[in-house]
């Protein structure tokens, strides 16, 4: 073997004066203390549809509905009463004396004095009922976080819609019903 091959290789360490450090190296040092930026990809549009949970301006839909008006409810038609079902988290914890009902000939409302955290007054207002009522009362379904508003019908007839303004379910303009006079 030759002398050149057996010689150990010495590492050469190059030192630079501070003035000679490039701007790129300083930039790298400054970024070390900053938070990492989100990954971006070429050819991908960002903007309207940012699906991360915790992004700015993101809200839970139910939190958004936490205002005073109750807009989520269901209803069913009985022989002598129409039942309106209201389900809210924490309703089981509200005493019955904190829930009130008022009614007129074609309107009814249910008010809960304080529910949620922080406690807020919530109310369901039904104006323009499709038929007249004689009064209203409520029953509480403990264990289901539900209150049922019972509207006493003035006349024993079917209600096809709860409010005059709402559309009926599956109405048909044809007198014949069904598919009408469609020919195949």
């Amino acid at each position: 073997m030759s002398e050149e091959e057996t010689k150990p290789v010495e590492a050469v360490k190059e030192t630079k004066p501070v003035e000679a450090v490039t701007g790129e190296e300083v930039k790298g040092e400054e970024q070390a203390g900053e938070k990492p930026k989100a990954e971006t990809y070429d050819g991908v549009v960002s903007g309207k549809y940012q699906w991360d949970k915790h992004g700015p301006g993101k809200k839970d839909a139910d939190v958004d509905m936490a205002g005073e008006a109750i807009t989520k409810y269901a209803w069913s038609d009985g022989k002598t009463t129409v039942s309106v079902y209201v389900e809210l988290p924490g309703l089981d914890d509200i005493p019955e004396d904190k829930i009130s009902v008022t009614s007129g000939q074609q309107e009814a409302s249910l008010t809960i004095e304080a529910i949620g955290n922080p406690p807020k007054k919530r109310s369901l207002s039904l104006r323009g009922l499709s038929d007249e009522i004689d009064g209203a009362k409520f029953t509480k379904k403990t264990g289901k976080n539900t209150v049922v508003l019972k509207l006493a019908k003035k006349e024993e007839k079917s209600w096809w819609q709860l409010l005059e303004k709402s559309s009926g379910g599956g109405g048909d303009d044809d007198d014949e019903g069904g598919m009408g006079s469609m020919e195949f």
Side-chain angles (χ1 to χ4, degrees), residues 56-117:
K58 302 292 182 195
K59 296 185 215 173
D60 184 7
D62 290 330
V63 171
D64 197 28
M65 297 299 294
E68 186 176 326
I70 297 172
T71 57
K72 290 183 183 180
Y73 62 88
W75 71 282
S76 67
D77 184 21
K79 189 173 185 175
T80 59
T81 60
V82 173
S83 300
V84 180
Y85 303 90
V86 175
E87 183 180 347
L88 291 171
L91 203 49
D92 284 346
D93 301 329
I94 306 299
E96 288 193 14
D97 63 336
K98 300 290 182 188
I99 302 171
S100 61
V101 173
T102 58
S103 65
Q105 281 191 335
Q106 283 194 294
E107 64 184 26
S109 68
L110 172 81
T111 304
I112 303 163
E113 285 186 29
I115 188 169
N117 192 12

Side-chain angles (χ1 to χ4, degrees), residues 8 20 28 39 42 58-59 61 65 71 73 75 83 87 89 92-93 121 132-133 148-150 156 167 174-175 184:
E39 291 183 29
D42 289 338
K58 302 292 182 195
K59 296 185 215 173
M65 297 299 294
T71 57
Y73 62 88
W75 71 282
S83 300
E87 183 180 347
D92 284 346
D93 301 329
K121 182 178 181 180
E132 292 184 358
I133 60 171
V148 182
L149 177 62
K150 301 247 183 201
E156 274 190 36
S167 62
D174 293 335
D175 290 334
F184 293 98

Side-chain angles (χ1 to χ4, degrees), residues 9-183:
V9 179
E10 292 182 30
V12 178
K13 187 173 183 183
E14 188 178 330
T15 57
K16 296 180 185 178
V18 175
E19 296 84 23
V21 175
T22 63
E24 198 174 294
E25 291 173 341
V26 172
K27 185 178 175 184
E29 290 173 11
E30 287 175 353
Q31 286 181 348
E34 294 178 11
K35 293 181 182 178
K37 293 183 179 180
E39 291 183 29
T40 57
Y41 301 98
D42 289 338
V44 177
V45 178
S46 75
K48 185 175 180 180
Y49 300 107
Q50 303 263 335
W51 298 110
D52 60 337
K53 287 184 186 177
H54 308 291
K58 302 292 182 195
K59 296 185 215 173
D60 184 7
D62 290 330
V63 171
D64 197 28
M65 297 299 294
E68 186 176 326
I70 297 172
T71 57
K72 290 183 183 180
Y73 62 88
W75 71 282
S76 67
D77 184 21
K79 189 173 185 175
T80 59
T81 60
V82 173
S83 300
V84 180
Y85 303 90
V86 175
E87 183 180 347
L88 291 171
L91 203 49
D92 284 346
D93 301 329
I94 306 299
E96 288 193 14
D97 63 336
K98 300 290 182 188
I99 302 171
S100 61
V101 173
T102 58
S103 65
Q105 281 191 335
Q106 283 194 294
E107 64 184 26
S109 68
L110 172 81
T111 304
I112 303 163
E113 285 186 29
I115 188 169
N117 192 12
K120 293 183 180 180
K121 182 178 181 180
R122 303 288 305 270
S123 62
L124 170 67
S125 182
L126 301 171
R127 288 185 166 73
L129 294 170
S130 63
D131 267 307
E132 292 184 358
I133 60 171
D134 274 334
K137 63 180 182 175
F138 77 91
T139 56
K140 194 171 163 186
K141 300 285 185 185
T142 307
K144 295 184 178 184
N145 284 324
T146 303
V147 169
V148 182
L149 177 62
K150 301 247 183 201
L151 309 175
K153 293 180 180 180
K154 197 166 202 168
E155 297 177 31
E156 274 190 36
K157 64 179 189 175
S158 295
W159 284 28
W160 300 106
Q161 57 190 18
L162 181 62
L163 303 174
E164 288 177 343
K165 297 174 189 172
S166 67
S167 62
D172 195 356
D173 290 339
D174 293 335
D175 290 334
E176 300 170 19
M179 296 291 281
S181 59
M182 288 186 80
E183 295 179 23

